[in-house]
């Protein structure tokens, strides 16, 4: 039906467009429409931005050519190797006998692909025909040979063979029939009962670097991560001490790199080859991650500073012990590397390495991941706890990369011990990196992510004397690179006080760290704040002027910042003790030797104090003894002075041993 309208004069016609609102009503409605249209465009723009690269400033910038030496620069040439001589200090038996491999054949043999077993639920890979054995640290050479003889007595067939042994680290690897492996693993401790040992799987590991990403940076962004962790302020306190030894266990290293070479290197070791050559095999490509990974990790921890090249490690003046385990990263190679580092008196060990997982692991619900960590791989966990206990006793700090699978980090049996430091990674927004493993859940009463540090768009040394490259190296992301940041920080802490226990170090890092924002921030440890950690240590130290002006300020319990080595017949016996002074008055007190790596007992003696104008002499009166042990610590004297930073420096008279004093509440007992 056609609609008929009437105008005010009564005639028929069309309704004007502004009716029924009128011209002004139409105008304001049109303006509202325009505002809504602009708002829609704004929302679409935000939506587009949310779907763009979050860190575009990092990705789109070019690294200037001046960062890299020319390709014809002789410093860039590090020739891979075909063969290398045996290490002259390597220990093999002159006559290993019929039960152990001959020295020329005594290497960790690779596992053939067909002998690898993959767990169907988690994707964990381990050798189906191998088992590893670690003997008690007190075992001697005769014990070693006795174990080998008893093994062959119980398993005489040629299919049961000791394929590798290392008297230095007291480890062996045996090869057994695949179908008997589990039964032999269970039966060995029941058959060999007169020797203390542990038997465990040969699990496989991979580097903890995430998959490659575009590494392009603007120059100011090459070192973006130093400021948030207070590195610049920390260097005003210390850049490290050459007495602090940082072991980096990784694939291969370019130890001729301008950032790493020279006097900085000490005690290099290649575990598979049992020599000191850390280069990759012949034919290794410049783009091969197994070569560049070790060099970059080491440089981020201890690269030189003020040498007109690259950037700087967190602890640039500390010493590096590079330890190669090549591209075959099994349990035994890692154990041998860690034990070697411990026996070479490393203070900190960096392990940017993690368990290999399949896709099935990432599909497990969180509750199942936590259950797996509580119930599975307990034998391996027991072995690792044993080794970590050895490190803890000797005051060696172990720093792990948490992993890059966005999993609960304690699924990896190597990362369950609370005396080690597990490092999660942060992105440039200082939030949890998308790939980083995690581990803190108050509701489950677990805290497996000790601390966090930047781990994306990281800058470091590369092989052939170059750096993170725009020519194919896309390696700047991963907890692999967060871990050496923390390793360097621990090295700085130990440069102030080598006597710090792992428990104290972890407590200081966590208490001075900065909480991570966002809901995922609660699942990882606080972000490391290096200056605050160093100030916490330095703040408790005795100041020379204060003590000399007011003698009462020396009252209390003081711990030396150096561990004292114990000697038998003039030779270091591997044991260390912590030295304490309990000062009760201006003239008297006691000295306490706590043997942390042997009997774990206290040996005490009275001391007297004699004050002069610029020093105080502390004299031990008589032997320091323990009622339950015949061991005695002979009388000695200590004289004080002021060091270059104004701290009270204590010198053992007649000896070159020097240390500062840090006030503590109680004796640190492991």
């Amino acid at each position: 039906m056609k609609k008929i309208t009437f105008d005010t004069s009564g005639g028929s016609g069309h309704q004007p467009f502004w009716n029924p609102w009128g011209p002004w009503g139409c105008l304001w409605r049109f303006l509202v429409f325009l505002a809504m249209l602009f708002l829609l465009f704004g929302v679409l723009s935000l939506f587009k931005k949310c779907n763009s690269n979050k860190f575009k400033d990092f990705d789109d910038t070019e690294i200037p050519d001046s960062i890299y030496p020319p390709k014809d620069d002789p410093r860039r040439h590090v020739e891979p190797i075909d063969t290398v001589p045996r290490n002259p200090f390597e220990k093999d038996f002159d006559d290993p006998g019929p039960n152990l491999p001959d020295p020329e054949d005594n290497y960790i043999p690779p596992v053939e692909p067909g002998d690898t077993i993959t767990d169907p639920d988690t994707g964990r890979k381990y050798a189906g025909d191998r088992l590893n054995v670690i003997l008690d640290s007190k075992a001697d050479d005769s014990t070693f040979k006795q174990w080998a003889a008893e093994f062959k007595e119980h398993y005489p067939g040629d299919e049961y063979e000791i394929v590798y042994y290392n008297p230095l680290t007291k480890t062996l690897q045996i090869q057994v029939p695949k179908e008997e492996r589990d039964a032999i693993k269970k039966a060995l401790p029941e058959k060999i009962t007169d020797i203390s040992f542990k038997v465990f799987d040969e699990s496989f590991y991979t580097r903890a670097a995430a998959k490659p990403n575009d590494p392009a940076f603007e120059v100011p962004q090459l070192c973006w991560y130093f400021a948030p962790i207070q590195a610049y302020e920390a260097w005003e306190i210390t850049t490290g001490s050459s007495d602090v030894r940082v072991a980096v266990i990784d694939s291969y290293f370019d130890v001729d790199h301008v950032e790493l070479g020279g006097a900085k290197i000490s005690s290099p070791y290649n575990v598979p080859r049992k020599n000191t050559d850390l280069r990759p095999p012949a034919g290794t490509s410049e783009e091969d991650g197994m070569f560049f990974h070790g060099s970059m990790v080491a440089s981020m921890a201890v690269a030189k500073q003020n040498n007109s090249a690259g950037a700087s490690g967190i602890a640039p003046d500390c010493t590096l012990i590079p330890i190669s385990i090549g591209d075959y990263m099994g349990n035994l190679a890692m154990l041998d590397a860690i034990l070697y580092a411990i026996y070479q008196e490393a203070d900190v060990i960096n392990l940017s390495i993690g368990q290999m997982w399949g896709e099935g692991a990432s599909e497990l619900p969180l509750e199942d991941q936590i259950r797996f960590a509580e119930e599975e791989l307990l034998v391996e966990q027991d072995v690792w706890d044993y080794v970590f206990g050895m490190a803890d006793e000797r005051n060696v700090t172990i720093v792990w990369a948490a992993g890059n699978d966005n999993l609960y980090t304690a699924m990896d049996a190597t990362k369950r011990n609370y005396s080690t430091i597990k490092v999660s990674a942060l992105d440039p927004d200082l939030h949890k990196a998308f790939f980083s493993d995690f581990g803190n859940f108050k509701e489950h009463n677990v805290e497996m992510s000790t601390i966090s540090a930047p781990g994306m768009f990281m800058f470091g040394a590369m092989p052939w004397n170059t750096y993170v490259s725009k020519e194919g190296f896309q390696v700047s992301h991963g907890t692999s690179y967060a871990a050496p940041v923390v390793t360097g920080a621990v090295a700085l802490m130990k440069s102030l006080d080598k006597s710090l226990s792992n428990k104290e170090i972890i407590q200081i890092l966590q208490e001075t760290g900065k909480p991570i924002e966002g809901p995922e921030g609660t699942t990882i440890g606080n972000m490391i704040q290096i200056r605050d950690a160093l100030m916490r240590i330095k703040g408790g130290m005795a100041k020379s002027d204060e003590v000399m002006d007011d003698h009462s300020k020396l009252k209390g319990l003081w711990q030396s910042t150096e561990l004292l080595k114990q000697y038998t017949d003039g030779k270091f016996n591997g044991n260390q003790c912590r030295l304490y002074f309990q000062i009760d008055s201006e003239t008297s007190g006691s000295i306490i030797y706590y043997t942390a790596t042997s009997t774990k007992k206290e040996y005490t003696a009275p001391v007297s104090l004699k004050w002069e104008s610029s020093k105080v002499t502390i004299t031990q009166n008589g032997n320091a003894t323990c009622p339950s042990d015949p061991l005695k610590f002979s009388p000695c004297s200590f004289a004080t002075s002021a060091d270059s930073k104004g701290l009270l420096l204590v010198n053992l008279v007649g000896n070159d041993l020097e240390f500062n004093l840090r006030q503590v509440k109680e004796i640190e007992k492991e």
Side-chain angles (χ1 to χ4, degrees), residues 236-237 496 533-543 645 647 662:
E236 295 177 1
I237 300 172
L496 292 183
L534 297 180
M535 288 302 296
R536 174 75 66 88
I537 299 167
K538 188 177 178 182
M541 290 185 178
K543 283 79 173 175
K645 298 180 180 178
L647 300 177
R662 180 170 56 89

Side-chain angles (χ1 to χ4, degrees), residues 504-557:
E504 289 177 305
I505 289 171
I506 290 171
Q507 182 178 1
I508 291 170
L509 289 176
Q510 291 179 332
E511 290 180 354
T512 60
K514 185 176 182 180
I516 308 303
E517 296 181 358
E520 286 193 316
T522 60
T523 69
I524 61 176
N526 292 342
M527 179 174 68
I528 191 170
Q529 300 289 279
I530 307 177
R531 174 195 173 277
D532 291 348
L534 297 180
M535 288 302 296
R536 174 75 66 88
I537 299 167
K538 188 177 178 182
M541 290 185 178
K543 283 79 173 175
S544 182
D545 287 346
E546 292 182 2
V547 168
M548 300 313 298
D549 291 342
D550 183 354
H551 299 174
S552 66
K553 290 193 174 180
L554 197 56
K555 290 182 181 180
L557 181 64

Side-chain angles (χ1 to χ4, degrees), residues 440-577:
N440 298 346
F441 296 95
K442 292 182 179 179
E443 63 272 23
H444 294 284
N445 196 32
V446 292
E447 187 175 334
M448 291 295 174
S449 171
T450 314
I451 202 78
S452 61
M456 291 183 68
F457 301 99
M458 309 299 280
F459 180 79
M462 288 290 168
W464 288 279
N465 215 37
T466 186
Y467 299 89
V468 169
S469 172
K470 60 185 178 183
E471 300 169 1
F473 286 142
Q474 299 178 342
V475 296
S476 59
H477 306 337
T479 57
S480 272
Y481 312 123
V485 169
V486 175
T487 293
V490 172
L492 293 183
M493 295 169 71
K494 290 198 170 188
S495 296
L496 292 183
D497 186 352
K498 271 185 115 175
S499 73
L500 284 166
S501 69
N502 290 327
K503 179 180 177 182
E504 289 177 305
I505 289 171
I506 290 171
Q507 182 178 1
I508 291 170
L509 289 176
Q510 291 179 332
E511 290 180 354
T512 60
K514 185 176 182 180
I516 308 303
E517 296 181 358
E520 286 193 316
T522 60
T523 69
I524 61 176
N526 292 342
M527 179 174 68
I528 191 170
Q529 300 289 279
I530 307 177
R531 174 195 173 277
D532 291 348
L534 297 180
M535 288 302 296
R536 174 75 66 88
I537 299 167
K538 188 177 178 182
M541 290 185 178
K543 283 79 173 175
S544 182
D545 287 346
E546 292 182 2
V547 168
M548 300 313 298
D549 291 342
D550 183 354
H551 299 174
S552 66
K553 290 193 174 180
L554 197 56
K555 290 182 181 180
L557 181 64
W558 299 88
Q559 178 177 300
S560 69
T561 57
E562 293 283 340
L563 294 172
L564 276 66
K565 295 180 180 179
Q566 294 178 234
Y567 292 83
T568 302
D569 298 328
K571 184 178 180 181
F572 177 47
N573 60 22
N575 293 324
Q576 296 173 306
C577 65

Side-chain angles (χ1 to χ4, degrees), residues 401-438:
N404 302 310
D405 298 291
N406 197 28
L407 291 172
Y408 178 55
T409 192
M411 286 183 65
D412 186 341
T414 65
K415 301 185 176 77
R416 298 175 185 173
N417 189 285
Y418 278 99
S419 70
T420 65
I421 297 175
K422 283 77 66 179
V423 184
S424 297
L426 301 172
D427 63 25
D429 285 339
L430 304 181
H431 296 152
K432 174 186 171 299
F434 68 91
F435 53 79
S436 178
D437 285 3
F438 47 83

Side-chain angles (χ1 to χ4, degrees), residues 99-101 106-112 127 129-134 144 147-148 151 160-166 169-176 188 198-204 328-336:
N99 304 313
L100 296 169
N106 188 23
Y107 299 91
I108 300 177
V111 176
E112 296 299 327
D129 64 343
R130 305 288 174 84
L131 288 170
N132 297 322
V133 174
I134 181 171
F144 206 99
W147 193 96
F151 169 73
Y160 310 98
E161 182 183 6
I162 297 175
V163 294
Y164 168 81
Y165 72 96
N166 192 335
T169 57
K170 309 181 195 308
T171 55
L172 308 96
Q173 186 171 93
I174 59 177
Q175 186 166 330
V176 299
L188 270 174
K198 298 178 185 296
V199 58
F200 56 101
D201 292 340
E202 172 69 341
S203 294
F204 301 133
Y328 173 71
M329 295 185 177
N331 260 340
L332 191 58
M334 284 218 305
L335 272 172
D336 270 13

Side-chain angles (χ1 to χ4, degrees), residues 185-235:
K185 178 181 175 182
K186 181 180 179 181
L188 270 174
E190 300 171 356
K191 292 179 179 291
I192 304 177
T193 58
D194 55 341
I195 300 175
S196 177
F197 69 95
K198 298 178 185 296
V199 58
F200 56 101
D201 292 340
E202 172 69 341
S203 294
F204 301 133
Y205 297 83
T206 184
R207 295 166 293 122
K211 292 182 179 179
N213 282 283
D214 183 44
F217 302 106
E218 290 181 358
V219 172
Q221 293 168 327
L222 291 176
C223 303
W224 73 269
Y225 53 91
F226 289 116
I229 59 174
Q230 301 180 336
Y232 301 114
E233 297 89 342
W235 290 331

